[in-house]
Amino acid sequence: MAQFVRQEREFSPIAPIKKVSTLDRIRVIHFFLKEGQKISLHTSPHRVILVVVEGEGEFYAGSEENRDILKEGQAVIYERHEPHGFKALKDMIAIAFVLE
């Protein structure tokens, strides 16, 4: 049966907002970042698919030196244990799908 995932837009001038929904073996994480805010490099034991819904960001894979700019409708797939993070170049909404 279909499961609908909805999150209200919510930005903070202080820090990125992260809202998590859990569905069976998938975590859906909505990120809301103001321009200049950042999610620091970290790892996950799971594969992560990250999609930019609105705005633009600089996405890191392995290190901050290995980066690419993604815009609305573009995505990146991170493998298990791969260091990753991102920074908003414009106000940005991104959704991560964590495949447990």
Side-chain angles (χ1 to χ4, degrees):
M1 170 159 304
Q3 296 181 22
F4 296 94
V5 180
R6 294 185 176 102
Q7 293 290 352
E8 294 295 321
R9 296 170 58 95
E10 182 181 350
F11 290 92
S12 167
I14 299 168
I17 299 290
K18 179 172 99 170
K19 297 182 178 185
V20 181
S21 303
T22 303
L23 313 166
D24 199 14
R25 295 181 58 216
I26 300 172
R27 264 185 297 142
V28 180
I29 307 169
H30 286 74
F31 291 95
F32 302 88
L33 292 87
K34 297 292 285 176
E35 182 177 328
Q37 292 180 339
K38 180 178 180 179
I39 300 295
S40 297
L41 281 175
H42 61 284
T43 61
S44 170
H46 308 289
R47 200 168 200 202
V48 177
I49 301 168
L50 196 71
V51 180
V52 177
V53 176
E54 182 178 299
E56 181 177 319
E58 183 174 75
F59 290 78
Y60 314 120
S63 71
E64 289 190 13
E65 288 72 37
N66 184 29
R67 61 183 176 248
D68 202 351
I69 294 174
L70 298 179
K71 299 176 182 180
E72 292 177 22
Q74 297 179 325
V76 59
I77 300 170
Y78 295 110
E79 295 300 327
R80 291 176 168 90
H81 307 290
E82 181 176 20
H84 59 278
F86 50 95
K87 177 180 177 181
L89 299 177
K90 297 180 180 177
D91 289 359
M92 183 173 71
I93 298 173
I95 300 176
F97 300 90
V98 182
L99 310 174
E100 298 180 353

